[in-house]
Amino acid sequence: GNNYCQHDFSDFVFSIYNRFGQLVFQTAQPGVKWDGRFNGVPQETGVYFYRLEYKYAGAFASHNKSPGAPAYITEDVTLIR
């Protein structure tokens, strides 16, 4: 196992933005997926950016984070139709 990281996290928000920085999807519910639409309209093929904000929940959450410490991941994804 990996002694440096636990996958235990809480209080997360997953957001997706288009190339103009407009929020097109957001959820705080595990398992809820983006269907590639915004307000019911299929979005254009292209690069979108996502941000996952969360807090570590485990007692040994990470080698550099304490329990309850906020963290985030920001990356991009390409929507293909």
Side-chain angles (χ1 to χ4, degrees):
N2 184 344
N3 292 332
Y4 293 106
C5 182
Q6 231 178 14
H7 299 288
D8 246 356
F9 60 89
S10 66
D11 300 326
F12 76 93
V13 177
F14 182 69
S15 307
I16 299 178
Y17 301 87
N18 64 20
R19 64 181 176 193
F20 304 110
Q22 180 180 25
L23 179 67
V24 296
F25 175 79
Q26 189 171 65
T27 185
Q29 299 294 319
V32 175
K33 301 173 187 174
W34 183 43
D35 64 1
R37 298 173 186 265
F38 177 59
N39 289 334
V41 178
Q43 295 301 286
E44 296 178 14
T45 296
V47 177
Y48 291 77
F49 301 90
Y50 68 85
R51 180 177 174 102
L52 175 62
E53 299 176 48
Y54 60 97
K55 292 182 180 175
Y56 290 104
F60 179 73
S62 168
H63 67 287
N64 62 356
K65 296 284 184 185
S66 59
Y72 65 90
I73 298 170
T74 303
E75 294 288 337
D76 61 76
V77 61
T78 302
L79 178 63
I80 300 173
R81 297 243 173 236

